[in-house]
Amino acid sequence: MRRLALASLAAAPLLKRRRPAACQTPLTEVEARRVLQLFDGLLFDEEYGDIHLYDISVEEEQQVEGSGGDATYGELREEILEWLLAHCEMRPQDILCDLGSGSGRALLYLALRTGLPAVGVELSPTRHRCAETLKMLAQPFLCGEVTFVQGDLSETGPQRHATVVLFANKLFSEDIFRAVAR
Ligand SMILES: C[S@@+](CC[C@H](N)C(=O)[O-])C[C@H]1O[C@@H](n2cnc3c(N)ncnc32)[C@H](O)[C@@H]1O
């Protein structure tokens, strides 16, 4: 609770400055990191000492693994995402996508930083629900539409329109990688 309160305080200047209707420009790195602090306040489990999304039920794990995926969890940190932004020139017509979007934290960070629309696909219902919650928190600062789909990344969906795709290809089999690339 204390972390959430602190995180809310950190984001207070942003809330004053930016309302949904006024959102026209993407956030700076400092501003986007403040929104991530809001996320961390929600996700962090004091007792566990980390975010609780690493643990999903056995049934969910089987659902993810049964699809040829890997239920192992991990999130791209903002340092890596900043590296990506520095090296991958985004165009105004781009649509971002994260295949296996987990909590949505990484994709939301990129959407906040670029102002671009984005689609995340996640098979685990628990992680998908989390992404929807974080999206609500980020909504006042988002310029483009962000959609999270609960489903299998190798199937088709709104992600077919994506032009910039994050994919942890080392977690998936060669066959899935080929299907996704197609
Ligand atoms: C290593 S995590 C990456 C999370 C996120 N991309 C990030 O960087 O913060 C990989 C995610 O892919 C999901 N996943 C695995 N197989 C999947 C599949 N076939 N379809 C959709 N999601 C899948 C897992 O549940 C997990 O949340």
Side-chain angles (χ1 to χ4, degrees):
M1 265 321 264
R2 199 162 56 84
R3 280 178 72 99
L4 182 56
L6 284 176
S8 309
L9 266 180
L14 280 177
L15 285 165
K16 261 198 210 148
R17 189 165 80 67
R18 204 176 279 267
R19 300 228 162 106
C23 177
Q24 276 155 4
T25 50
L27 298 190
T28 64
E29 182 179 345
V30 171
E31 290 173 328
R33 280 174 184 260
R34 284 203 186 132
V35 178
L36 287 193
Q37 286 175 22
L38 275 179
F39 295 173
D40 290 343
L42 256 193
L43 289 176
F44 198 83
D45 185 323
E46 294 282 355
E47 228 170 272
Y48 182 51
D50 207 334
I51 61 168
H52 45 74
L53 283 184
Y54 290 90
D55 276 332
I56 50 175
S57 69
V58 175
E59 291 75 29
E60 273 193 63
E61 236 175 74
Q62 285 168 348
Q63 194 184 353
V64 174
E65 307 263 336
S67 73
D70 189 321
T72 310
Y73 198 66
E75 294 187 344
L76 290 175
R77 305 307 300 175
E78 42 278 30
E79 291 74 18
I80 304 279
L81 297 168
E82 282 298 328
W83 181 91
L84 186 146
L85 289 170
H87 289 82
C88 175
E89 201 179 317
M90 307 281 179
R91 303 157 306 166
Q93 68 270 30
D94 276 328
I95 300 175
L96 308 171
C97 175
D98 188 1
L99 294 174
S101 42
S103 74
R105 190 179 186 277
L107 186 64
L108 284 165
Y109 185 82
L110 290 177
L112 290 166
R113 287 284 286 121
T114 59
L116 292 170
V119 184
V121 185
E122 170 58 52
L123 198 51
S124 146
T126 305
R127 293 170 183 162
H128 169 71
R129 271 197 306 277
C130 178
E132 292 286 14
T133 306
L134 296 194
K135 180 184 147 183
M136 275 194 288
L137 271 183
Q139 196 64 63
F141 315 111
L142 290 168
C143 303
E145 177 85 22
V146 176
T147 308
F148 286 107
V149 179
Q150 196 222 314
D152 193 319
L153 57 80
S154 58
E155 287 167 12
T156 188
Q159 64 270 29
R160 69 187 179 282
H161 301 296
T163 52
V164 178
V165 180
L166 292 183
F167 182 53
N169 60 314
K170 297 286 181 202
L171 279 183
F172 298 90
S173 68
E174 195 61 27
D175 286 348
I176 301 248
F177 177 67
R178 285 217 190 84
V180 166
R182 265 202 305 276

